[in-house]
PDB file of all heavy atoms in Angstrom:
ATOM      1  N   ALA A  25     164.145  92.584  50.649  1.00 98.00           N
ATOM      2  CA  ALA A  25     164.979  93.509  51.085  1.00 98.00           C
ATOM      3  C   ALA A  25     164.948  94.570  50.010  1.00 98.00           C
ATOM      4  O   ALA A  25     164.829  94.350  48.894  1.00 98.00           O
ATOM      5  CB  ALA A  25     166.487  92.883  51.153  1.00 98.00           C
ATOM      6  N   ASP A  26     165.266  95.822  50.435  1.00 98.00           N
ATOM      7  CA  ASP A  26     165.248  96.857  49.447  1.00 98.00           C
ATOM      8  C   ASP A  26     166.268  96.686  48.342  1.00 98.00           C
ATOM      9  O   ASP A  26     166.009  97.157  47.195  1.00 98.00           O
ATOM     10  CB  ASP A  26     165.634  98.257  50.203  1.00 98.00           C
ATOM     11  CG  ASP A  26     164.399  98.692  51.043  1.00 98.00           C
ATOM     12  OD1 ASP A  26     163.258  98.209  50.848  1.00 98.00           O
ATOM     13  OD2 ASP A  26     164.638  99.566  51.970  1.00 98.00           O
ATOM     14  N   SER A  27     167.254  96.048  48.634  1.00 97.00           N
ATOM     15  CA  SER A  27     168.443  95.868  47.683  1.00 97.00           C
ATOM     16  C   SER A  27     168.090  94.872  46.492  1.00 97.00           C
ATOM     17  O   SER A  27     168.677  94.983  45.428  1.00 97.00           O
ATOM     18  CB  SER A  27     169.670  95.254  48.369  1.00 97.00           C
ATOM     19  OG  SER A  27     169.366  94.003  49.014  1.00 97.00           O
ATOM     20  N   VAL A  28     167.033  94.104  46.722  1.00 98.00           N
ATOM     21  CA  VAL A  28     166.540  93.138  45.702  1.00 98.00           C
ATOM     22  C   VAL A  28     165.107  93.345  45.188  1.00 98.00           C
ATOM     23  O   VAL A  28     164.752  92.753  44.269  1.00 98.00           O
ATOM     24  CB  VAL A  28     166.723  91.676  46.148  1.00 98.00           C
ATOM     25  CG1 VAL A  28     168.054  91.490  46.742  1.00 98.00           C
ATOM     26  CG2 VAL A  28     165.605  91.391  47.160  1.00 98.00           C
ATOM     27  N   LYS A  29     164.381  94.268  45.841  1.00 98.00           N
ATOM     28  CA  LYS A  29     163.010  94.466  45.542  1.00 98.00           C
ATOM     29  C   LYS A  29     162.953  94.941  43.999  1.00 98.00           C
ATOM     30  O   LYS A  29     163.716  95.778  43.607  1.00 98.00           O
ATOM     31  CB  LYS A  29     162.400  95.559  46.504  1.00 98.00           C
ATOM     32  CG  LYS A  29     160.898  95.746  46.326  1.00 98.00           C
ATOM     33  CD  LYS A  29     160.495  96.770  47.359  1.00 98.00           C
ATOM     34  CE  LYS A  29     160.757  96.198  48.739  1.00 98.00           C
ATOM     35  NZ  LYS A  29     160.114  97.149  49.797  1.00 98.00           N
ATOM     36  N   GLY A  30     161.970  94.422  43.298  1.00 98.00           N
ATOM     37  CA  GLY A  30     161.725  94.709  41.912  1.00 98.00           C
ATOM     38  C   GLY A  30     162.580  93.856  41.052  1.00 98.00           C
ATOM     39  O   GLY A  30     162.420  93.858  39.737  1.00 98.00           O
ATOM     40  N   ARG A  31     163.593  93.054  41.532  1.00 98.00           N
ATOM     41  CA  ARG A  31     164.525  92.233  40.679  1.00 98.00           C
ATOM     42  C   ARG A  31     164.313  90.844  41.044  1.00 98.00           C
ATOM     43  O   ARG A  31     164.524  90.005  40.206  1.00 98.00           O
ATOM     44  CB  ARG A  31     165.959  92.625  40.939  1.00 98.00           C
ATOM     45  CG  ARG A  31     166.239  94.118  40.508  1.00 98.00           C
ATOM     46  CD  ARG A  31     167.784  94.392  40.530  1.00 98.00           C
ATOM     47  NE  ARG A  31     168.295  94.265  41.840  1.00 98.00           N
ATOM     48  CZ  ARG A  31     169.277  93.463  42.192  1.00 98.00           C
ATOM     49  NH1 ARG A  31     169.728  92.650  41.225  1.00 98.00           N
ATOM     50  NH2 ARG A  31     169.738  93.339  43.410  1.00 98.00           N
ATOM     51  N   PHE A  32     164.133  90.474  42.333  1.00 98.00           N
ATOM     52  CA  PHE A  32     163.902  89.144  42.750  1.00 98.00           C
ATOM     53  C   PHE A  32     162.474  88.854  43.127  1.00 98.00           C
ATOM     54  O   PHE A  32     161.744  89.682  43.493  1.00 98.00           O
ATOM     55  CB  PHE A  32     164.796  88.883  44.073  1.00 98.00           C
ATOM     56  CG  PHE A  32     166.272  88.965  43.848  1.00 98.00           C
ATOM     57  CD1 PHE A  32     166.912  89.388  42.729  1.00 98.00           C
ATOM     58  CD2 PHE A  32     167.090  88.507  44.959  1.00 98.00           C
ATOM     59  CE1 PHE A  32     168.230  89.384  42.651  1.00 98.00           C
ATOM     60  CE2 PHE A  32     168.466  88.461  44.842  1.00 98.00           C
ATOM     61  CZ  PHE A  32     168.967  88.914  43.674  1.00 98.00           C
ATOM     62  N   THR A  33     162.077  87.466  42.809  1.00 98.00           N
ATOM     63  CA  THR A  33     160.854  87.033  43.167  1.00 98.00           C
ATOM     64  C   THR A  33     160.846  85.731  43.933  1.00 98.00           C
ATOM     65  O   THR A  33     161.549  84.831  43.331  1.00 98.00           O
ATOM     66  CB  THR A  33     159.956  86.982  41.893  1.00 98.00           C
ATOM     67  OG1 THR A  33     159.849  88.254  41.177  1.00 98.00           O
ATOM     68  CG2 THR A  33     158.629  86.420  42.323  1.00 98.00           C
ATOM     69  N   VAL A  34     160.295  85.684  45.078  1.00 98.00           N
ATOM     70  CA  VAL A  34     160.309  84.432  45.751  1.00 98.00           C
ATOM     71  C   VAL A  34     158.998  83.720  45.659  1.00 98.00           C
ATOM     72  O   VAL A  34     157.838  84.516  45.625  1.00 98.00           O
ATOM     73  CB  VAL A  34     160.591  84.652  47.341  1.00 98.00           C
ATOM     74  CG1 VAL A  34     159.635  85.598  47.974  1.00 98.00           C
ATOM     75  CG2 VAL A  34     160.696  83.330  48.096  1.00 98.00           C
ATOM     76  N   SER A  35     159.020  82.451  45.458  1.00 97.00           N
ATOM     77  CA  SER A  35     157.736  81.749  45.328  1.00 97.00           C
ATOM     78  C   SER A  35     157.958  80.361  45.945  1.00 97.00           C
ATOM     79  O   SER A  35     158.990  79.910  46.234  1.00 97.00           O
ATOM     80  CB  SER A  35     157.375  81.692  43.809  1.00 97.00           C
ATOM     81  OG  SER A  35     158.341  81.031  43.149  1.00 97.00           O
ATOM     82  N   ARG A  36     156.836  79.651  46.004  1.00 94.00           N
ATOM     83  CA  ARG A  36     156.876  78.325  46.604  1.00 94.00           C
ATOM     84  C   ARG A  36     155.810  77.301  45.910  1.00 94.00           C
ATOM     85  O   ARG A  36     154.829  77.825  45.439  1.00 94.00           O
ATOM     86  CB  ARG A  36     156.746  78.277  48.052  1.00 94.00           C
ATOM     87  CG  ARG A  36     155.387  78.706  48.590  1.00 94.00           C
ATOM     88  CD  ARG A  36     155.341  78.942  50.084  1.00 94.00           C
ATOM     89  NE  ARG A  36     155.756  77.663  50.851  1.00 94.00           N
ATOM     90  CZ  ARG A  36     156.255  77.745  52.168  1.00 94.00           C
ATOM     91  NH1 ARG A  36     156.277  78.842  52.773  1.00 94.00           N
ATOM     92  NH2 ARG A  36     156.467  76.572  52.758  1.00 94.00           N
ATOM     93  N   ASP A  37     156.297  76.117  45.856  1.00 92.00           N
ATOM     94  CA  ASP A  37     155.310  75.043  45.398  1.00 92.00           C
ATOM     95  C   ASP A  37     155.259  74.065  46.452  1.00 92.00           C
ATOM     96  O   ASP A  37     156.220  73.094  46.587  1.00 92.00           O
ATOM     97  CB  ASP A  37     155.882  74.547  44.002  1.00 92.00           C
ATOM     98  CG  ASP A  37     154.867  73.437  43.491  1.00 92.00           C
ATOM     99  OD1 ASP A  37     153.982  72.943  44.226  1.00 92.00           O
ATOM    100  OD2 ASP A  37     155.035  73.175  42.174  1.00 92.00           O
ATOM    101  N   ASN A  38     154.326  74.069  47.331  1.00 88.00           N
ATOM    102  CA  ASN A  38     154.261  73.247  48.501  1.00 88.00           C
ATOM    103  C   ASN A  38     154.116  71.710  48.053  1.00 88.00           C
ATOM    104  O   ASN A  38     154.466  70.796  48.765  1.00 88.00           O
ATOM    105  CB  ASN A  38     153.087  73.610  49.456  1.00 88.00           C
ATOM    106  CG  ASN A  38     153.442  74.839  50.159  1.00 88.00           C
ATOM    107  OD1 ASN A  38     154.528  75.327  50.172  1.00 88.00           O
ATOM    108  ND2 ASN A  38     152.439  75.492  50.673  1.00 88.00           N
ATOM    109  N   ALA A  39     153.436  71.472  46.952  1.00 88.00           N
ATOM    110  CA  ALA A  39     153.253  70.070  46.465  1.00 88.00           C
ATOM    111  C   ALA A  39     154.597  69.505  46.147  1.00 88.00           C
ATOM    112  O   ALA A  39     154.733  68.218  46.295  1.00 88.00           O
ATOM    113  CB  ALA A  39     152.429  70.067  45.218  1.00 88.00           C
ATOM    114  N   LYS A  40     155.658  70.361  45.831  1.00 91.00           N
ATOM    115  CA  LYS A  40     156.914  69.827  45.578  1.00 91.00           C
ATOM    116  C   LYS A  40     157.977  70.044  46.633  1.00 91.00           C
ATOM    117  O   LYS A  40     159.158  69.965  46.518  1.00 91.00           O
ATOM    118  CB  LYS A  40     157.507  70.549  44.301  1.00 91.00           C
ATOM    119  CG  LYS A  40     156.749  70.143  42.957  1.00 91.00           C
ATOM    120  CD  LYS A  40     157.188  70.865  41.781  1.00 91.00           C
ATOM    121  CE  LYS A  40     156.554  70.504  40.508  1.00 91.00           C
ATOM    122  NZ  LYS A  40     156.997  71.306  39.338  1.00 91.00           N
ATOM    123  N   ASN A  41     157.433  70.591  47.801  1.00 89.00           N
ATOM    124  CA  ASN A  41     158.236  70.975  48.831  1.00 89.00           C
ATOM    125  C   ASN A  41     159.468  71.798  48.449  1.00 89.00           C
ATOM    126  O   ASN A  41     160.543  71.686  49.003  1.00 89.00           O
ATOM    127  CB  ASN A  41     158.807  69.725  49.599  1.00 89.00           C
ATOM    128  CG  ASN A  41     157.751  68.962  50.225  1.00 89.00           C
ATOM    129  OD1 ASN A  41     156.687  69.434  50.659  1.00 89.00           O
ATOM    130  ND2 ASN A  41     157.911  67.644  50.447  1.00 89.00           N
ATOM    131  N   THR A  42     159.184  72.810  47.607  1.00 93.00           N
ATOM    132  CA  THR A  42     160.174  73.602  47.035  1.00 93.00           C
ATOM    133  C   THR A  42     159.862  75.113  47.213  1.00 93.00           C
ATOM    134  O   THR A  42     158.825  75.551  46.805  1.00 93.00           O
ATOM    135  CB  THR A  42     160.430  73.216  45.580  1.00 93.00           C
ATOM    136  OG1 THR A  42     160.766  71.845  45.496  1.00 93.00           O
ATOM    137  CG2 THR A  42     161.592  74.088  45.034  1.00 93.00           C
ATOM    138  N   VAL A  43     160.890  75.880  47.535  1.00 95.00           N
ATOM    139  CA  VAL A  43     160.811  77.354  47.420  1.00 95.00           C
ATOM    140  C   VAL A  43     161.839  77.851  46.339  1.00 95.00           C
ATOM    141  O   VAL A  43     162.844  77.186  46.211  1.00 95.00           O
ATOM    142  CB  VAL A  43     161.028  78.074  48.787  1.00 95.00           C
ATOM    143  CG1 VAL A  43     162.474  77.710  49.204  1.00 95.00           C
ATOM    144  CG2 VAL A  43     160.741  79.532  48.677  1.00 95.00           C
ATOM    145  N   TYR A  44     161.529  78.911  45.620  1.00 97.00           N
ATOM    146  CA  TYR A  44     162.297  79.392  44.593  1.00 97.00           C
ATOM    147  C   TYR A  44     162.731  80.824  44.804  1.00 97.00           C
ATOM    148  O   TYR A  44     161.958  81.601  45.448  1.00 97.00           O
ATOM    149  CB  TYR A  44     161.642  79.293  43.244  1.00 97.00           C
ATOM    150  CG  TYR A  44     161.062  77.889  42.844  1.00 97.00           C
ATOM    151  CD1 TYR A  44     159.815  77.614  43.269  1.00 97.00           C
ATOM    152  CD2 TYR A  44     161.813  76.991  42.235  1.00 97.00           C
ATOM    153  CE1 TYR A  44     159.328  76.291  42.917  1.00 97.00           C
ATOM    154  CE2 TYR A  44     161.402  75.774  41.870  1.00 97.00           C
ATOM    155  CZ  TYR A  44     160.063  75.365  42.227  1.00 97.00           C
ATOM    156  OH  TYR A  44     159.599  74.076  41.885  1.00 97.00           O
ATOM    157  N   LEU A  45     163.743  81.241  44.193  1.00 98.00           N
ATOM    158  CA  LEU A  45     164.112  82.624  44.100  1.00 98.00           C
ATOM    159  C   LEU A  45     164.438  82.985  42.747  1.00 98.00           C
ATOM    160  O   LEU A  45     165.647  82.481  42.260  1.00 98.00           O
ATOM    161  CB  LEU A  45     165.252  82.912  45.124  1.00 98.00           C
ATOM    162  CG  LEU A  45     165.696  84.369  45.147  1.00 98.00           C
ATOM    163  CD1 LEU A  45     164.556  85.115  45.934  1.00 98.00           C
ATOM    164  CD2 LEU A  45     166.890  84.570  46.000  1.00 98.00           C
ATOM    165  N   GLN A  46     163.606  83.656  41.945  1.00 98.00           N
ATOM    166  CA  GLN A  46     163.966  84.092  40.776  1.00 98.00           C
ATOM    167  C   GLN A  46     164.647  85.384  40.715  1.00 98.00           C
ATOM    168  O   GLN A  46     164.135  86.252  41.344  1.00 98.00           O
ATOM    169  CB  GLN A  46     162.691  84.235  39.820  1.00 98.00           C
ATOM    170  CG  GLN A  46     162.813  84.911  38.537  1.00 98.00           C
ATOM    171  CD  GLN A  46     163.492  83.963  37.571  1.00 98.00           C
ATOM    172  OE1 GLN A  46     163.303  82.746  37.473  1.00 98.00           O
ATOM    173  NE2 GLN A  46     164.580  84.540  36.939  1.00 98.00           N
ATOM    174  N   MET A  47     165.798  85.416  40.229  1.00 98.00           N
ATOM    175  CA  MET A  47     166.786  86.625  40.298  1.00 98.00           C
ATOM    176  C   MET A  47     166.945  87.230  38.892  1.00 98.00           C
ATOM    177  O   MET A  47     167.431  86.470  37.997  1.00 98.00           O
ATOM    178  CB  MET A  47     168.014  86.323  40.966  1.00 98.00           C
ATOM    179  CG  MET A  47     167.928  85.682  42.342  1.00 98.00           C
ATOM    180  SD  MET A  47     169.471  85.215  43.078  1.00 98.00           S
ATOM    181  CE  MET A  47     170.193  84.061  41.998  1.00 98.00           C
ATOM    182  N   ASN A  48     166.517  88.439  38.757  1.00 98.00           N
ATOM    183  CA  ASN A  48     166.563  89.069  37.418  1.00 98.00           C
ATOM    184  C   ASN A  48     167.594  90.319  37.572  1.00 98.00           C
ATOM    185  O   ASN A  48     167.709  90.804  38.634  1.00 98.00           O
ATOM    186  CB  ASN A  48     165.270  89.449  36.847  1.00 98.00           C
ATOM    187  CG  ASN A  48     164.288  88.331  36.600  1.00 98.00           C
ATOM    188  OD1 ASN A  48     164.828  87.278  36.155  1.00 98.00           O
ATOM    189  ND2 ASN A  48     163.046  88.517  36.891  1.00 98.00           N
ATOM    190  N   ASN A  49     168.020  90.736  36.447  1.00 98.00           N
ATOM    191  CA  ASN A  49     168.912  91.991  36.384  1.00 98.00           C
ATOM    192  C   ASN A  49     169.987  91.874  37.485  1.00 98.00           C
ATOM    193  O   ASN A  49     170.100  92.788  38.320  1.00 98.00           O
ATOM    194  CB  ASN A  49     168.033  93.210  36.560  1.00 98.00           C
ATOM    195  CG  ASN A  49     168.830  94.519  36.319  1.00 98.00           C
ATOM    196  OD1 ASN A  49     169.778  94.441  35.526  1.00 98.00           O
ATOM    197  ND2 ASN A  49     168.407  95.607  36.887  1.00 98.00           N
ATOM    198  N   LEU A  50     170.665  90.793  37.476  1.00 98.00           N
ATOM    199  CA  LEU A  50     171.652  90.537  38.579  1.00 98.00           C
ATOM    200  C   LEU A  50     172.713  91.569  38.476  1.00 98.00           C
ATOM    201  O   LEU A  50     173.150  92.047  37.402  1.00 98.00           O
ATOM    202  CB  LEU A  50     172.156  89.151  38.406  1.00 98.00           C
ATOM    203  CG  LEU A  50     171.194  88.148  39.008  1.00 98.00           C
ATOM    204  CD1 LEU A  50     171.635  86.693  38.512  1.00 98.00           C
ATOM    205  CD2 LEU A  50     171.262  88.163  40.543  1.00 98.00           C
TER     206      LEU A  50
END
């Protein structure tokens, strides 16, 4: 979303069945 672009990063680790949301400059 435009509101989070540049601050948030979504990633995933399929081996761990996990998705992450790294949130910076909250």
Side-chain angles (χ1 to χ4, degrees):
D26 289 341
S27 58
V28 308
K29 191 175 299 181
R31 300 187 298 118
F32 290 12
T33 302
V34 62
S35 61
R36 68 192 298 162
D37 185 341
N38 287 345
K40 298 180 179 179
N41 291 334
T42 302
V43 63
Y44 304 94
L45 186 67
Q46 174 66 48
M47 304 182 294
N48 298 321
N49 191 25
L50 283 162

